[in-house]
Amino acid sequence: MMKMPALLSAALLLLLLLLPGNLTEISEPVPIEVVVENSLLGTAPETFSTHVVYRGILLGALKRLMSSDANFKFTYTEDPNYGPYLESVNGVAGNDKDHTYWELLVRTPDGKIIRPDVGIGCYIPSAKEQIILRFTTW
């Protein structure tokens, strides 16, 4: 009788793997745009198109963009308490002395601009969002 729970568990797991919509199914890429703005220089924003996998994080989309477009580069630092945060975009780095940093904003498909309460390592973009990387001061 001890084998019955193990067999039921194995059968249930196999059934879950075979059902549509399971974790093994490959989903369509989620298209997003990345807009780079330098509010200090007043230069025209640069817009880049990329995608993120379904429920994927922004950091993955930024890495994908950097590997596919030579005009987009970024660096980030891993903070042990807060996770990854942007250090530089296209050669422009934030600086504590000058009180400059890269702000993360999101323009939703309905035009609202929000400031996520998480950074590039946790933010999960939705389809057709504009991810705004704005160089600014604090």
Side-chain angles (χ1 to χ4, degrees):
M1 284 309 227
M2 296 290 279
K3 292 183 181 184
M4 185 60 86
L7 279 173
L8 285 174
S9 295
L12 182 57
L13 180 60
L14 185 58
L15 182 61
L16 286 173
L17 290 174
L18 296 175
L19 289 174
N22 63 50
L23 294 176
T24 62
E25 188 176 298
I26 298 174
S27 45
E28 292 294 314
V30 176
I32 62 170
E33 288 186 338
V34 175
V35 179
V36 178
E37 296 180 358
N38 188 330
S39 66
L40 303 181
L41 293 181
T43 55
E46 295 178 86
T47 303
F48 303 90
S49 294
T50 189
H51 71 275
V52 64
V53 298
Y54 175 72
R55 301 293 299 156
I57 60 172
L58 177 56
L59 182 57
L62 294 176
K63 287 180 178 182
R64 181 175 295 104
L65 177 57
M66 186 166 67
S67 70
S68 67
D69 190 325
N71 294 314
F72 180 81
K73 301 282 184 233
F74 80 104
T75 61
Y76 66 97
T77 297
E78 187 79 31
D79 182 276
N81 296 306
Y82 301 108
Y85 68 92
L86 279 175
E87 226 175 19
S88 72
V89 178
N90 292 341
V92 178
N95 181 310
D96 286 342
K97 188 181 108 187
D98 296 335
H99 295 215
T100 56
Y101 75 108
W102 284 96
E103 178 180 30
L104 173 61
L105 300 169
V106 176
R107 181 175 289 119
T108 60
D110 64 0
K112 281 187 192 164
I113 294 182
I114 61 169
R115 179 177 287 114
D117 59 358
V118 295
I120 61 173
C122 291
Y123 186 72
I124 298 173
S126 295
K128 300 190 173 70
E129 284 185 337
Q130 279 191 329
I131 307 302
I132 302 168
L133 308 177
R134 180 179 292 157
F135 191 65
T136 190
T137 60
W138 78 79

